[in-house]
Amino acid sequence: MAKADNVFLIGPMGAGKSTIGRLLAAELRLSLYDTDKAIEERCGADIPWIFDVEGEAGFRVRESAMLEELSGENSIVLATGGGIIMAEKNRKILRSRGKVVYLRASVDQQSERTARDKRRPLLQTDDPRQVLEELMAVRDPLYMATADVVVNTDGRSPRDVALEIARELGDE
């Protein structure tokens, strides 16, 4: 299989990229990778610790390097971090090495899904909802411009979303 058989899941935190990725990889019989998990395994440290020590900029360097490496694999589903599309280099890699699926989730849905998650450094603030709104305002146009397929995840089961993506990709 060629790199065109790769599927990259992009979208905001709380959209379900990791969960849907696992189901989609099983459905398509592809290997699953997750940039955040791969970074944690490589560093021997969790994402919040990396943010604390290296800052967001340091984390983004690691994230870009991991995307470069993992996107070179064949026949994979790759769940990416929400901010991966901020770098033009990353958007080019995504577009050139596979099909990009934007898992779109409203700020309400993101807020609900991330409310009790202490592992999201950008949300460790007094007003996480405002952060989600600000991130969405900046990132949504980039997600839209990068994606080959856009799937709304609000109020839907991960299984339904994974099956819709498999259908969409099968029709292309």
Side-chain angles (χ1 to χ4, degrees), residues 54-101:
E54 299 180 359
E56 184 175 358
F59 171 75
R60 296 297 173 206
V61 169
R62 290 180 182 277
E63 184 178 57
S64 290
M66 191 57 68
L67 174 63
E68 177 75 41
E69 180 181 327
L70 293 176
S71 66
E73 297 289 327
N74 293 319
S75 304
I76 67 166
V77 171
L78 179 63
T80 64
I84 206 158
I85 47 75
M86 293 303 294
E88 174 62 28
K89 171 185 161 190
N90 293 347
R91 296 192 301 272
K92 286 180 179 172
I93 289 170
L94 290 164
R95 286 192 297 264
S96 68
R97 296 186 181 176
K99 292 291 181 189
V100 182
V101 179

Side-chain angles (χ1 to χ4, degrees), residues 137-153:
V138 171
R139 294 176 178 180
D140 185 62
L142 298 173
Y143 293 136
M144 292 298 286
T146 306
D148 296 301
V149 176
V150 179
V151 179
N152 189 352
T153 65

Side-chain angles (χ1 to χ4, degrees), residues 100-151:
V100 182
V101 179
Y102 173 18
L103 299 180
R104 199 167 198 196
S106 68
V107 171
D108 283 344
Q109 187 83 63
Q110 293 172 57
S111 188
E112 186 179 306
R113 289 181 181 162
T114 61
R116 287 162 296 287
D117 191 342
K118 299 298 179 219
R119 293 180 37 86
R120 299 185 185 269
L122 296 178
L123 297 185
Q124 302 315 305
T125 174
D126 290 338
D127 192 352
R129 184 182 177 84
Q130 180 181 349
V131 171
L132 291 171
E133 288 171 355
E134 291 168 359
L135 290 173
M136 191 59 142
V138 171
R139 294 176 178 180
D140 185 62
L142 298 173
Y143 293 136
M144 292 298 286
T146 306
D148 296 301
V149 176
V150 179
V151 179

Side-chain angles (χ1 to χ4, degrees), residues 4-5 7 24 28 99 101 148-149 151 162-172:
D5 295 318
V7 180
L24 181 63
L28 298 176
K99 292 291 181 189
V101 179
D148 296 301
V149 176
V151 179
L163 291 172
E164 179 181 337
I165 295 166
R167 278 193 308 273
E168 288 274 341
L169 295 175
D171 291 342
E172 291 187 359

